[in-house]
Amino acid sequence: MHHTPSKLVSPRFPVLRQSTAVLLCCVLTACGGSGGSSPSPAPAPETPVGPVAPPAVVPVAPPAASRLPHVLAGVPTLLQAPAGVAVDKAGNTFVIDSTRQLILKITPAGEASTFAGSHLSSGSEDGQGTDASFRFTPNSRMLIDMAGNLIVADTCNGLIRRITPQAMVSTVAGVRGAGCSVYPENRDGLAAGASFSAPESIVLDVNGDYLVGGGGLSGVRRVTPGGKVSTSRWVQPDLDGTGSGSSAHTLAVDKNGVVYFSSRGLIYQVMNGVAKRWAGTTERGMADGPRLSARFDLVTGMVFGASGDLYVSDYSSIRHVSPDGIVSTLAGVVGSLGTRDGSRNDARFNGTGALAIDPQGQMIVADAYVMRHVSTRGDVTTFSATPSTSGVVDGPGSVARFERTLNLAADSKGNVYIPDPYTNVIRRISPDGTVSWFAGVAGVRNSAVSGVFRADAFANQKSIAIDAGDVVHVADVDRIVRIDNGVMKTVVTLADEVKWANHIAVDSFRNIAVARLQDVWVLHPEGDAFIKVTGNDVGKLASGVPGWHDFRPAGVAFDGTGNLYIADLKSHTILKRDRFGVLSVFAGTFGLDGNADGAPGQARLDFNGPVQMTFSPKGEMYLAGLGKVRKITPDGTVSTPALAWGYPSLNSIVYSQNRLLGMTAFAILDTALPD
């Protein structure tokens, strides 16, 4: 590859239009990365896409919610990204929604409401209920203290917050304004004199103090109700006795005040400043039996019951450790995902997280995007307030179902295309909302490990873009595939240095922008790189900005004249590289996060995950993936438009035929573009 910076390539191909991804409504966020690699296969010959559709699923009667205005296909869900969970003495369940930056309250009767936080607006403001703001992540946790207050680990803000039963929010300890980009060091002290580096797990000690884990610390921070912060570190011998350290991402405290924490498939007990393996082995999986020989898959939550039993979220199952040290599987099956209710082995979980125990002794489990009850016998039911609306079902819009996807595109006819990572195909949604198979082979995943490679199948489609000729481009691990008039072929085999394209865009000359973890490449249509934007380039814009230290491109887009735009998670800006190679800040304020509208240098963009950009014919950018949809004029002025669909949380958005299209957790919405 050669990569001499230059102007964009001359028009050797018909003028094409890049169409960026789409997502929408009151739903998800997060960020999804990918791991692993596979050898680059040789470019495949042209292969007609075979008519291999996903397995048939019997449609179910659509809930009333699916007929809401602006829902094109699928059904939106209430709870988008559950994180921490707590239950009060009256049986009310409180759950953090880290996408919408809210704490929801669900009564025993199944009524759900917002308890605290500002919908889709991050911040660190104290105040009453919805006047307060937070910066949660999926790892943020909370507890209920002895006085009945919610105590919250506000992860990105680096704060410990208190919320009274009347929903008054205040700060117990920590320094405001840390944000998700720059974490302070852990420092002991009183109230604002202390600081936290990304606090996550938080549990109640037997004396009423709060124990806080996370932030890379081999130990815990002790916080008194009055806000005094101190640190207790431990020594952690590893399994061969040589000694190592581990951060307490998941904490539990037994009735005697003994601290336990987990590290992947291992559970440790801390005694006299030493952390020793208490349960699990280095070989992950699911094996019941005595705790030191039992195996866990991925421990994501732990809580002790009143009788000394330990309950464990093990990603796709709930495990039980009896007081005499015997591990058993209470509900679910390791490695088998789903949202099916039922008893023990019949039930399925889709990614369990935080655990709590209600006044009746049954567990409350945060499970991907729903809340589940689990009885002590292993019977699993889903909260009526958070019904599952996910699935993989083709058909008319109200019948269709989707799993979580973070990247969409639309063609000139108004069809929407979705890479579906669950069945490993591309699905198409027509303008009337009908969902059907488009490309890929259902259930077949190319893999260097298994030796499977089919030219008409995918390995892990990461991003999709469509040009003005309605040719579909798919980034698939180490190759870029084009699908043109039903013919699918590899057009670019990516070298190691540009593998794992997290997001792609296509300009009017079929040049392909590839956003990776820490740089952006622009490739000729045949694959040679001729532009590269790195942290060194972005660093030249960071003069005088304290704390800036990285470049994290989250999305790329081209406008109609060939300018390249990059959403940078670290600087909280949209960067613009014009056709002459000049890089500048297009929108936002370098190094400062937030949600403020305004001109460049005044507006604030609070990126927390994947970001999608699309352009109207007037050159206006619409931006999704950071809360409310934002509009940015060609001069970089940011506003929050009052669109007809309201203020849904979108990870992706796209323009087509005078419409904006987007996707929530688990529905595609559309609305007419305002004049």
Side-chain angles (χ1 to χ4, degrees):
M1 280 193 177
H2 62 277
H3 47 268
T4 305
S6 66
K7 299 179 183 178
L8 293 181
V9 68
S10 57
R12 293 173 288 167
F13 296 86
V15 175
L16 305 172
R17 175 183 55 82
Q18 183 262 349
S19 191
T20 57
V22 180
L23 287 162
L24 181 28
C25 209
C26 16
V27 146
L28 95 166
T29 319
C31 340
S34 228
S37 61
S38 59
S40 301
E46 295 188 0
T47 305
V49 177
V52 184
V57 179
V58 178
V60 296
S66 67
R67 296 185 288 273
L68 292 171
H70 308 293
V71 177
L72 181 65
V75 180
T77 187
L78 168 68
L79 187 59
Q80 300 174 30
V85 176
V87 185
D88 67 14
K89 293 180 179 179
N92 298 300
T93 298
F94 299 86
V95 56
I96 293 171
D97 190 329
S98 63
T99 291
R100 293 198 288 155
Q101 298 298 321
L102 301 175
I103 296 175
L104 300 178
K105 177 181 178 180
I106 305 174
T107 69
E111 298 174 353
S113 61
T114 297
F115 184 65
S118 180
H119 174 66
L120 296 177
S121 182
S122 299
S124 58
E125 294 299 314
D126 290 337
Q128 179 66 43
T130 56
D131 292 334
S133 55
F134 305 90
R135 284 192 174 94
F136 295 128
T137 76
N139 296 322
S140 298
R141 298 291 186 260
M142 62 183 174
L143 59 85
I144 291 183
D145 69 8
M146 292 179 174
N149 302 303
L150 276 175
I151 307 298
V152 180
D154 189 353
T155 304
C156 278
N157 280 325
L159 301 175
I160 304 301
R161 316 286 291 278
R162 176 183 290 118
I163 311 173
T164 68
Q166 294 75 39
M168 178 59 70
V169 181
S170 60
T171 298
V172 177
V175 180
R176 278 193 192 178
C180 294
S181 298
V182 181
Y183 292 113
E185 294 182 357
N186 290 309
R187 184 177 70 245
D188 293 344
L190 180 64
S195 61
F196 296 84
S197 178
E200 296 177 343
S201 53
I202 183 168
V203 294
L204 189 66
D205 199 2
V206 291
N207 68 348
D209 289 347
Y210 322 134
L211 301 182
V212 182
L217 178 69
S218 294
V220 295
R221 316 292 301 285
R222 179 177 294 275
V223 184
T224 69
K228 183 180 179 180
V229 180
S230 58
T231 301
S232 297
R233 298 179 182 271
W234 54 61
V235 176
Q236 180 194 336
D238 59 16
L239 293 183
D240 61 11
T242 60
S244 64
S246 180
S247 179
H249 293 290
T250 302
L251 284 169
V253 177
D254 69 15
K255 60 184 178 182
N256 298 314
V258 178
V259 174
Y260 298 75
F261 71 93
S262 69
S263 177
R264 293 184 176 271
L266 295 169
I267 298 173
Y268 292 87
Q269 181 190 68
V270 181
M271 295 286 286
N272 300 318
V274 178
K276 293 184 178 181
R277 179 174 67 97
W278 185 78
T281 71
T282 54
E283 183 181 355
R284 291 166 58 187
M286 186 181 76
D288 293 338
R291 56 182 171 81
L292 287 173
S293 58
R295 294 200 304 270
F296 296 88
D297 185 33
L298 180 62
V299 177
T300 54
M302 300 189 297
V303 63
F304 277 96
S307 300
D309 304 81
L310 178 66
Y311 298 96
V312 178
S313 290
D314 196 15
Y315 192 68
S316 57
S317 64
I318 301 298
R319 313 291 293 281
H320 170 255
V321 187
S322 66
D324 59 357
I326 301 301
V327 177
S328 60
T329 300
L330 185 62
V333 177
V334 166
S336 182
L337 300 176
T339 54
R340 188 168 68 206
D341 290 343
S343 60
R344 291 189 175 271
N345 293 341
D346 291 331
R348 292 294 182 271
F349 298 94
N350 220 15
T352 59
L355 285 175
I357 295 180
D358 71 10
Q360 285 72 47
Q362 69 176 346
M363 279 161 289
I364 307 297
V365 184
D367 181 27
Y369 47 86
V370 298
M371 298 300 298
R372 318 288 292 278
H373 284 115
V374 182
S375 74
T376 54
R377 296 185 306 174
D379 298 321
V380 180
T381 55
T382 300
F383 280 36
S384 60
T386 64
S388 172
T389 62
S390 69
V392 180
V393 181
D394 289 345
S398 60
V399 170
R401 294 293 182 270
F402 304 96
E403 290 289 355
R404 291 191 184 275
T405 56
L406 300 177
N407 204 251
L408 310 177
D411 65 20
S412 62
K413 302 178 183 64
N415 297 298
V416 181
Y417 298 80
I418 301 179
D420 187 327
Y422 290 85
T423 56
N424 215 40
V425 301
I426 306 293
R427 301 168 74 192
R428 176 170 55 195
I429 302 94
S430 64
D432 67 358
T434 301
V435 181
S436 60
W437 166 90
F438 174 71
V441 183
V444 175
R445 186 177 300 277
N446 291 337
S447 167
V449 175
S450 65
V452 173
F453 179 78
R454 287 181 53 164
D456 58 347
F458 298 104
N460 185 5
Q461 61 272 48
K462 293 287 291 182
S463 181
I464 186 169
I466 301 177
D467 63 35
D470 288 342
V471 175
V472 178
H473 297 67
V474 181
D476 183 35
V477 183
D478 56 0
R479 63 180 183 144
I480 293 177
V481 175
R482 287 195 185 119
I483 307 171
D484 188 1
N485 290 321
V487 176
M488 176 173 165
K489 68 175 182 177
T490 298
V491 294
V492 177
T493 299
L494 300 175
D496 288 342
E497 56 193 349
V498 290
K499 279 185 181 178
W500 294 106
N502 291 317
H503 193 242
I504 62 172
V506 184
D507 75 359
S508 58
F509 309 136
R510 275 194 182 158
N511 299 306
I512 304 167
V514 178
R516 300 194 326 127
L517 183 63
Q518 292 183 312
D519 56 27
V520 173
W521 288 63
V522 181
L523 312 177
H524 285 301
E526 66 275 13
D528 291 339
F530 67 103
I531 292 173
K532 185 178 181 183
V533 180
T534 69
N536 289 334
D537 300 314
V538 180
K540 295 174 183 178
L541 305 175
S543 177
V545 178
W548 187 88
H549 62 283
D550 205 353
F551 173 42
R552 286 287 303 277
V556 288
F558 288 105
D559 66 14
T561 59
N563 299 305
L564 172 65
Y565 297 82
I566 304 168
D568 178 22
L569 292 181
K570 287 297 183 178
S571 68
H572 297 279
T573 62
I574 303 294
L575 304 174
K576 176 181 178 180
R577 188 188 188 279
D578 68 20
R579 292 170 296 165
F580 305 102
V582 177
L583 187 70
S584 62
V585 174
F586 172 64
T589 303
F590 204 102
L592 297 177
D593 60 1
N595 294 284
D597 293 339
Q602 298 176 351
R604 302 284 186 90
L605 301 175
D606 196 11
F607 299 136
N608 290 311
V611 178
Q612 302 295 328
M613 298 167 279
T614 192
F615 289 89
S616 73
K618 297 179 181 179
E620 299 162 328
M621 175 189 288
Y622 287 87
L623 178 69
L626 65 161
K628 298 174 183 176
V629 173
R630 314 294 281 278
K631 175 182 175 181
I632 308 178
T633 59
D635 67 355
T637 299
V638 179
S639 61
T640 305
L643 299 170
W645 57 28
Y647 295 103
S649 172
L650 307 181
N651 282 343
S652 183
I653 191 168
V654 72
Y655 170 86
S656 179
Q657 294 189 327
N658 204 41
R659 297 184 303 158
L660 288 176
L661 297 146
M663 189 168 184
T664 73
F666 310 107
I668 294 177
L669 308 185
D670 71 344
T671 189
L673 191 68
D675 294 331

